[in-house]
Amino acid sequence: MSRRKTERLLNLVICLLATRRPLPAEQIRQAVPGYDRDSDEAFQRMFERDKNELREIGIPIDVVRDPWEDEPGYRIERESYELPEITLEPDEAAVLGLAAQVWQRASLAEAASGALLKLRAGGVDTADALGGAIGGGALELRVDTRDPAFPALWQAVRDRRAVRFDYRAAGSENVHTRTVEPWGVVSRRGRWYLAGYDRGREAPRVFRLSRITGPVTTVGKAGAVQVPEGVDLRAMVVFPDEPAQERVAVVRVRRGACEGLRQLATAVRPGGDGWDEAELPFTDPERLAGWMASLGSDVEVASPPDAREAVIRRLKGALA
């Protein structure tokens, strides 16, 4: 949904909530920004579409027909629109608070914090409940979603809409375009995966988000994707354990920066031009790339080549 349309719908809801009497369509047309004031037909189409969309998401718009008026009036009864009193047990409030912390670093952070704000306004003390549940705040869970493809894929799953992206297969530098009907985005062992139906291979497939290169584009209309009944997304991303061979990456680190990286390095030696060289053990170049990319211009992976290329792909994906 475009920002302009979202603002118009929000203004319409505020207008119909604030009025003390039912408003005719023409008065709504003049009061709510975004409606066409030149074409009656265009306004009627847009207004009918907006009313239907608001009703579909559960906002009750009443139509009041006054025998003394030629046109019907519209309003939203506050009693029907407002939520009932919020009553949560301490353990329920703790779960909601913990969920908001889990998504603190993801694209849902704004929605999560907004939900907590509404709960607190309703009298639910989420902070105390959370502290009691996890030891006074000593433990904090977070979901790491640095993969650039995550926001677009999450929205596609939510909207049940197919996607297209370029994908690099495991153990290969070849990139192929995939068109996928997304069923869900799942985290396993610190990595994120997209599970869905690959239209090209005509079979269910799983894609690691860190191997998606470039932007993710949507295909077709929203609501076109149907998730099969009984599908187990977590079972789809259970793979045989791959032998983890530890290697060493040589990383150039800006002098005076990245103290945490230096603590984990097996060796740090002075370099030139204000840089040091650190040796970091790693097993997965993609996970190393995610960490290095998050440190920005303070680090540069010198070797091995596949780790360096993984960082470059990650940065290019973020830029796209």
Side-chain angles (χ1 to χ4, degrees):
M1 183 183 297
S2 67
R3 180 175 180 177
R4 181 178 179 183
K5 182 177 181 180
T6 301
E7 291 178 350
R8 186 180 72 247
L9 291 176
L10 180 60
N11 288 330
L12 177 58
V13 171
I14 294 173
C15 176
L16 297 181
L17 270 174
T19 182
R20 294 185 178 181
R21 60 179 181 82
L23 297 179
E26 183 59 33
Q27 192 168 348
I28 294 173
R29 178 183 185 179
Q30 300 301 322
V32 176
Y35 283 125
D36 194 322
R37 290 181 170 81
D38 298 326
S39 170
D40 293 341
E41 184 178 353
F43 162 71
Q44 287 296 335
R45 287 199 306 267
M46 188 179 297
F47 183 49
E48 289 299 322
R49 191 162 53 242
D50 288 351
K51 286 190 299 179
N52 291 335
E53 290 195 20
L54 291 177
R55 285 167 176 155
E56 286 176 0
I57 63 176
I59 298 179
I61 299 180
D62 295 333
V63 182
V64 181
R65 299 188 179 276
D66 191 326
W68 304 102
E69 299 290 343
D70 295 333
E71 299 292 333
Y74 303 90
R75 67 180 177 188
I76 298 176
E77 290 286 353
R78 189 172 295 273
E79 293 78 9
S80 302
Y81 176 79
E82 291 179 341
L83 291 174
E85 181 182 356
I86 301 174
T87 56
L88 294 177
E89 297 297 328
D91 58 340
E92 295 173 324
V95 171
L96 291 174
L98 185 59
Q101 283 200 354
V102 166
W103 287 105
Q104 184 175 343
R105 292 172 62 186
S107 61
L108 303 181
E110 183 177 352
S113 60
L116 281 184
L117 183 62
K118 293 177 183 178
L119 288 173
R120 294 185 185 115
V124 177
D125 196 345
T126 56
D128 290 348
L130 180 60
I134 60 175
L139 174 65
E140 181 176 336
L141 299 181
R142 289 183 177 178
V143 174
D144 188 347
T145 56
R146 293 191 182 99
D147 295 300
F150 179 87
L153 292 176
W154 181 84
Q155 291 179 0
V157 172
R158 179 198 63 187
D159 298 338
R160 295 188 290 120
R161 195 170 185 177
V163 292
R164 180 175 292 130
F165 51 81
D166 292 334
Y167 188 75
R168 180 182 56 82
S172 171
E173 293 300 319
N174 296 326
V175 176
H176 301 281
T177 301
R178 303 294 188 196
T179 302
V180 180
E181 298 178 8
W183 296 345
V185 183
V186 182
S187 176
R188 182 175 184 270
R189 295 185 178 180
R191 301 166 182 166
W192 284 91
Y193 299 87
L194 171 69
Y197 181 82
D198 188 328
R199 290 181 176 176
R201 298 184 179 182
E202 298 183 347
R205 286 291 187 270
V206 174
F207 305 88
R208 189 194 294 184
L209 267 60
S210 61
R211 294 185 183 139
I212 294 177
T213 63
V216 176
T217 58
T218 54
V219 179
K221 297 181 178 179
V225 174
Q226 299 295 327
V227 181
E229 293 186 9
V231 64
D232 188 345
L233 298 179
R234 293 198 174 274
M236 291 180 64
V237 297
V238 174
F239 308 110
D241 292 333
E242 301 175 358
Q245 180 181 0
E246 187 171 89
R247 295 186 288 161
V248 175
V250 177
V251 180
R252 299 181 71 232
V253 187
R254 194 180 302 277
R255 194 161 298 161
C258 304
E259 185 60 32
L261 182 152
R262 295 171 183 272
Q263 294 293 332
L264 295 175
T266 56
V268 179
R269 53 184 174 268
D273 300 327
W275 293 81
D276 295 331
E277 284 190 353
E279 294 183 358
L280 284 175
F282 75 100
T283 56
D284 184 351
E286 295 296 339
R287 296 192 69 178
L288 177 68
W291 181 22
M292 295 298 101
S294 71
L295 299 177
S297 60
D298 288 331
V299 300
E300 179 182 321
V301 177
S303 65
D306 60 338
R308 180 179 174 84
E309 289 299 321
V311 175
I312 294 174
R313 283 195 304 271
R314 184 66 62 96
L315 294 175
K316 287 183 176 178
L319 179 62

